[in-house]
Amino acid sequence: EAQVTQNPRYLITVTGKKLTVTCSQNMNHEYMSWYRQDPGLGLRQIYYSMNVEVTDKGDVPEGYKVSRKEKRNFPLILESPSPNQTSLYFCASSLSWNQPQHFGDGTRLSIL
Amino acid sequence: DQQVKQNSPSLSVQEGRISILNCDYTNSMFDYFLWYKKYPAEGPTFLISISSIKDKNEDGRFTVFLNKSAKHLSLHIVPSQPGDSAVYFCAARWTGANSKLTFGKGITLSVRP
């Protein structure tokens, strides 16, 4: 089954404790992206990757890092999480940048 | 500065009637528009799209209309079904290389049986 898989689905953690949210897709997609969804703000892009080893900032990259060492994986790293990063996060992928994206089911992060 | 606006946060319609979800944009560079549907505890799923060279695109019960002069698009669902109850996001981009999607805030549609 074609899918985008995010882990964990839920996480409660504390300020400053590094965490990684993994994202994996099995569709051989070149383009991958991370979004956060906040009440009243819709979906905002954090980082995106056009292909392996090619990443770039989206609209709200501060406090986040990403890597794209393999085509299927695109982890989101919070080196020193803060409460304002409490949000619902979605990973997405598509065949190329101009194709509709497939989304994972989301990761709800709570930073205390 | 919000470039894609979905000004109505919610809409409630009777089953079998038409649902009309509206979206406005401010960036005249946008030339490709998409609608995504999202159920609780799931990620958004792509529904339908339209290029700026068209003013209408239809897929089954779903039709998207684009009015470029008004910078307005709408999603029509006919007939509405209870399973259509979800959050609908409008998104837009332009055809420049690496152009990213800009999403609206979403509209919650409730279809009453």
Side-chain angles (χ1 to χ4, degrees):
Chain A
E1 180 189 352
Q3 57 187 3
V4 178
T5 304
Q6 298 177 224
N7 279 297
R9 291 292 312 278
Y10 304 91
L11 180 64
I12 301 173
T13 187
V14 296
T15 300
K17 186 176 181 183
K18 180 180 177 179
L19 67 93
T20 299
V21 184
T22 63
C23 174
S24 181
Q25 50 92 5
N26 62 0
M27 296 169 279
N28 201 36
H29 284 171
E30 290 190 347
Y31 185 90
M32 297 188 74
S33 182
W34 276 102
Y35 296 88
R36 59 179 288 175
Q37 183 187 5
D38 301 290
L41 294 176
L43 288 157
R44 293 179 295 167
Q45 190 180 54
I46 303 170
Y47 267 94
Y48 66 95
S49 170
M50 300 289 283
N51 212 326
V52 176
E53 301 292 2
V54 181
T55 63
D56 208 346
K57 297 177 180 178
D59 295 317
V60 287
E62 295 78 21
Y64 305 94
K65 287 174 61 176
V66 293
S67 68
R68 188 91 183 272
K69 294 186 172 63
E70 310 162 277
K71 200 170 191 178
R72 64 182 293 125
N73 296 322
F74 190 46
L76 179 70
I77 303 155
L78 285 72
E79 294 268 2
S80 183
S82 61
N84 65 11
Q85 293 177 298
T86 291
S87 187
L88 178 59
Y89 291 85
F90 290 101
C91 180
S93 73
S94 57
L95 205 54
S96 64
W97 66 270
N98 58 352
Q99 298 296 311
Q101 293 174 38
H102 298 252
F103 283 79
D105 284 338
T107 295
R108 187 166 290 282
L109 286 183
S110 294
I111 317 291
L112 305 177
Chain B
D1 176 34
Q2 202 179 3
Q3 300 186 66
V4 177
K5 301 179 182 181
Q6 296 178 263
N7 292 319
S8 302
S10 63
L11 175 68
S12 181
V13 299
Q14 192 76 37
E15 181 179 4
R17 307 291 290 267
I18 184 172
S19 296
I20 300 176
L21 289 73
N22 293 308
C23 178
D24 297 292
Y25 60 97
T26 58
N27 190 336
S28 57
M29 296 281 289
F30 288 146
D31 58 6
Y32 191 73
F33 306 89
L34 305 91
W35 284 93
Y36 282 82
K37 177 167 113 172
K38 183 184 177 306
Y39 292 119
E42 295 182 12
T45 55
F46 169 69
L47 192 57
I48 193 169
S49 63
I50 187 167
S51 163
S52 61
I53 62 172
K54 295 185 173 183
D55 54 18
K56 175 183 172 181
N57 189 25
E58 194 170 352
D59 183 1
R61 296 186 296 113
F62 302 91
T63 303
V64 57
F65 295 92
L66 176 62
N67 182 335
K68 290 186 290 293
S69 60
K71 294 194 182 70
H72 175 84
L73 62 155
S74 59
L75 175 68
H76 293 212
I77 307 173
V78 184
S80 300
Q81 299 173 355
D84 296 328
S85 297
V87 177
Y88 289 79
F89 290 99
C90 173
R93 62 168 171 81
W94 66 88
T95 328
N98 305 347
S99 171
K100 57 184 185 289
L101 276 181
T102 299
F103 284 84
K105 294 179 182 180
I107 301 172
T108 299
L109 173 66
S110 299
V111 180
R112 306 184 304 273

